[in-house]
Amino acid sequence: MNRRTFLSYLGTGAAALAAASAGLGTLEGKASALSSTADHLFGFSTNRVSGFFEPIAPSKEDKLVLPPRFRYDVVAAYDDRINPAGEKFGQGCDYNAYFPLQGSDRGLLVTNHEYTNIFSLGPIHNDQLTAVQVEKELYYQGMSVTEIYKNEQGVWKLDPTSTYARRINGFTSFELTGPAKGSAAVNQAAKVQGTFANCSGGITLWNTVLSCEENFQETANHAKLDPTHYGWVVEIDPKDAQYRKKHTALGRFNHENTAMGLASNGRIVVYMGDDKKDACVYKYISKGTYNKAEGRANAKLLEDGVLYVANFKKGQWLEVTIEAVSKVLSSEHFKVPYGVSMTKEELVQRYKTQGDVVTYCHEAALLVGGTPTDRPEDIEISPFDNTVFICHTNNDTHGNIHGHITRIFEAQDNLAANEFDFEIFAAGGRQSGFSSPDNLIFDSNAQLWVVTDISTSSHNKGVYKSFMNNGLFVIPTTGGNKGVAMQFASAPIDSELTGPFFTPNEDTLFISVQHPGENTTDLSKPTSTWPHRKGDKIARCGVVAISGFKLS
């Protein structure tokens, strides 16, 4: 074992060092993914997915490729029946959240469904959808609540007899809350039809799910629905089918996810990214404080608070309020900022109330000084030190081809601080082995799990050749291997991996295989047939449960 490898193991414990010296996990040019404490040594004693693994090489196969010692079960796939009523699992699987019902081995899985494609809609002629295709588009997007369990053989399965299981989609009604509710900005709506284009999300401190409506414009147009009713953060309760809200105080834009934490004074803080080029990073701070004893009643904190946008040049969070917007527009030195296409006169007419500000949030954020960034996607708060990690996926118009992960350090480690510093924690590219970071999740060993989102049209081409298919990577955030990416999984053809989520004991990792075979134009010649079900001739997106083989 060379000196570099030896030093990489310092701090991992004597047992880990001894094992490494015996040749286990010693890899040229890559650090081995050892857990940081001896009781998780190699993941074998607890069989945790978050333990030791041997990093894999990139793959171009139509398979979900995992390291030795790991396996996966397809828990649910597109069009699977999920309940006695015959409702079907949606398409475009993205975010996942797991809520145990009995220990860690039975629970409710909440899955987002971002969009539909040829495998559900069939061929689309001249970019015009038929009425039947519009109905399918609204049905198969949205969210699924499913009940899943691990059987005696250790295999994860879907329970189609569940009384909890249900679909939430483009036909489901929602209550609006916050400043835009009933306002002219949303055409006086207090209730709206449906949710769709659901990308990533997050869990609240009171165990509900926040789901984010991202690229909603196309589906709203197809269905002739009011676009101002979409692009919000949705809240649902996995155990209560009647609880459905859209929180307008969190702003309307191309939401990727939410990351909720507590400020030092007990106020709720929610970080959010706007997943498009030259868009901003936001956080919302509630006016009231969190009270654990109130349970779901704490949701009122998402209705009354202040929305902020990040200015990275100054290291400041700036208020996105009608007062701040009006002040900027009233200045005699006002100039329309980059990214805003309206004139001053048009902007003055648009922004009259806070309802207007949150409904047309992207432009308002730029007006007050928000920094346009490179597709801010998933954001996560480190549970170890309160730093905030942001996937800036890429922005080819600025030459940021492979993206990077930004790490924010809030002043005094207070999530409600007005000032911050930041660093580029990890940069995509040949030198790191990954490109276009997307979703994030932490494990209990302070390792950051990162999935990538190289555009399907770019797979295995040009500067993306070396990365092959999209993948899942593990990056330690502490220790000698800090910032070193190790590939854990490679996705099937034309797909990406999304929505990673651990069971509480970390012996299972749920993750979605999204849009396999996306480049298919002829259903008789699909580019992928994952998950390769017997007799199946199409590709099906789905959620898998990854676990490790137990050793005797």
Side-chain angles (χ1 to χ4, degrees):
M1 183 167 57
N2 63 34
R3 182 176 182 276
R4 179 181 176 186
T5 305
F6 176 88
L7 291 174
S8 75
Y9 285 97
L10 291 182
T12 62
L17 183 58
S21 66
L24 292 174
T26 304
L27 299 166
E28 185 60 36
K30 293 212 174 191
S32 293
L34 285 178
S35 58
S36 58
T37 56
D39 63 328
H40 298 158
L41 178 60
F42 300 130
F44 292 169
S45 62
T46 60
N47 205 40
R48 290 189 172 199
V49 176
S50 59
F52 168 83
F53 69 93
E54 180 180 335
I56 67 169
S59 168
K60 293 190 289 186
E61 293 186 88
D62 191 29
K63 297 179 180 178
L64 175 55
V65 182
L66 301 175
R69 200 182 68 80
F70 293 92
R71 60 183 294 275
Y72 73 88
D73 306 313
V74 179
V75 178
Y78 156 65
D79 222 28
D80 284 350
R81 184 173 66 87
I82 66 171
N83 59 19
E87 291 187 289
K88 301 295 185 69
F89 197 69
Q91 201 177 35
C93 311
D94 203 298
Y95 176 73
N96 295 293
Y98 180 71
F99 297 83
L101 292 174
Q102 299 172 12
S104 281
D105 293 347
R106 178 177 283 270
L108 300 182
L109 182 71
V110 179
T111 303
N112 279 352
H113 300 294
E114 189 173 5
Y115 52 83
T116 45
N117 63 24
I118 190 170
F119 296 117
S120 60
L121 302 182
I124 299 172
H125 301 288
N126 301 320
D127 295 324
Q128 297 295 314
L129 270 63
T130 66
V132 171
Q133 287 175 321
V134 171
E135 184 175 359
K136 288 182 177 180
E137 187 173 40
L138 292 175
Y139 179 81
Y140 282 113
Q141 292 185 41
M143 306 171 72
S144 289
V145 178
T146 54
E147 186 169 342
I148 62 175
Y149 65 99
K150 187 194 292 186
N151 68 13
E152 293 180 355
Q153 290 72 44
V155 177
W156 283 93
K157 290 184 172 291
L158 177 70
D159 182 355
T161 68
S162 173
T163 57
Y164 289 111
R166 65 188 187 276
R167 286 298 317 284
I168 303 157
N169 56 29
F171 298 106
T172 310
S173 64
F174 283 83
E175 173 193 350
L176 294 184
T177 75
K181 178 180 180 178
S183 72
V186 294
N187 296 306
Q188 288 75 45
K191 291 186 177 181
V192 299
Q193 174 190 323
T195 186
F196 41 78
N198 301 75
C199 191
S200 190
I203 291 179
T204 66
L205 298 178
W206 46 95
N207 280 327
T208 60
V209 174
L210 298 179
S211 175
C212 294
E213 298 173 336
E214 189 188 354
N215 296 309
F216 58 88
Q217 295 89 344
E218 187 174 78
T219 298
N221 181 56
H222 289 161
K224 296 180 172 57
L225 294 168
D226 188 333
T228 67
H229 296 176
Y230 310 96
W232 303 107
V233 173
V234 171
E235 183 185 15
I236 66 111
D237 186 332
K239 295 182 179 180
D240 184 354
Q242 303 307 311
Y243 187 83
R244 303 182 300 271
K245 298 184 177 183
K246 293 191 181 188
H247 294 295
T248 70
L250 302 182
R252 172 179 167 266
F253 43 86
N254 292 61
H255 280 277
E256 172 71 20
N257 87 311
T258 66
M260 180 179 286
L262 272 180
S264 57
N265 62 0
R267 290 182 291 167
I268 291 291
V269 180
V270 183
Y271 291 88
M272 298 168 287
D274 185 357
D275 182 11
K276 56 180 179 283
K277 297 176 183 179
D278 299 331
C280 299
V281 175
Y282 300 83
K283 77 175 178 183
Y284 167 90
I285 305 176
S286 65
K287 288 186 178 179
T289 57
Y290 172 69
N291 182 351
K292 184 177 180 180
E294 291 189 4
R296 198 175 71 182
N298 283 288
K300 65 180 182 294
L301 298 174
L302 299 177
E303 302 178 19
D304 187 16
V306 180
L307 188 64
Y308 295 83
V309 66
N311 182 305
F312 283 91
K313 186 175 182 179
K314 296 180 178 179
Q316 294 179 351
W317 292 101
L318 307 175
E319 290 190 6
V320 187
T321 60
I322 187 58
E323 293 79 13
V325 171
S326 298
K327 182 178 179 180
V328 169
L329 291 175
S330 65
S331 171
E332 61 182 22
H333 303 295
F334 173 78
K335 291 183 180 180
V336 177
Y338 172 79
V340 177
S341 59
M342 302 172 70
T343 66
K344 178 178 180 178
E345 292 71 23
E346 290 170 330
L347 291 166
V348 170
Q349 287 300 311
R350 167 167 283 183
Y351 294 107
K352 302 288 188 183
T353 68
Q354 186 63 19
D356 300 325
V357 169
V358 295
T359 303
Y360 299 100
C361 196
H362 170 73
E363 295 85 355
L366 295 175
L367 286 174
V368 301
T371 301
T373 67
D374 297 339
R375 288 186 60 200
E377 292 208 42
D378 216 333
I379 303 177
E380 294 295 334
I381 304 166
S382 169
F384 305 97
D385 61 10
N386 256 14
T387 57
V388 180
F389 289 75
I390 306 167
C391 279
H392 281 104
T393 297
N394 54 42
N395 191 338
D396 55 4
T397 60
H398 294 168
N400 187 1
I401 306 302
H402 298 300
H404 60 271
I405 300 173
T406 305
R407 187 181 195 177
I408 284 180
F409 301 83
E410 296 279 28
Q412 287 80 53
D413 297 324
N414 179 15
L415 298 183
N418 291 323
E419 297 183 349
F420 64 90
D421 201 351
F422 75 95
E423 67 181 18
I424 304 303
F425 172 74
R430 286 176 60 94
Q431 79 289 343
S432 60
F434 71 89
S435 176
S436 308
D438 188 345
N439 295 158
L440 303 170
I441 190 172
F442 278 94
D443 65 21
S444 60
N445 300 318
Q447 296 180 131
L448 191 64
W449 294 62
V450 184
V451 295
T452 61
D453 183 14
I454 301 170
S455 172
T456 306
S457 61
S458 298
H459 285 188
N460 299 296
K461 298 177 183 177
V463 298
Y464 297 99
K465 278 185 179 180
S466 64
F467 309 104
M468 300 189 187
N469 293 351
N470 277 311
L472 168 64
F473 296 79
V474 179
I475 308 179
T477 62
T478 61
N481 299 328
K482 175 183 174 183
V484 178
M486 297 157 282
Q487 187 161 359
F488 181 87
S490 179
I493 290 175
D494 293 351
S495 72
E496 60 175 305
L497 302 175
T498 57
F501 200 95
F502 285 106
T503 54
N505 60 9
E506 293 184 12
D507 72 355
T508 300
L509 172 66
F510 298 109
I511 198 164
S512 295
V513 178
Q514 191 184 60
H515 59 70
E518 184 179 42
N519 279 334
T520 298
T521 57
D522 183 345
L523 285 172
S524 67
K525 300 176 182 178
T527 58
S528 168
T529 55
W530 189 91
H532 310 295
R533 288 177 169 174
K534 187 175 181 179
D536 211 348
K537 297 181 180 180
I538 67 170
R540 297 181 187 272
C541 63
V543 180
V544 302
I546 297 173
S547 55
F549 289 106
K550 291 185 178 180
L551 301 184
S552 57

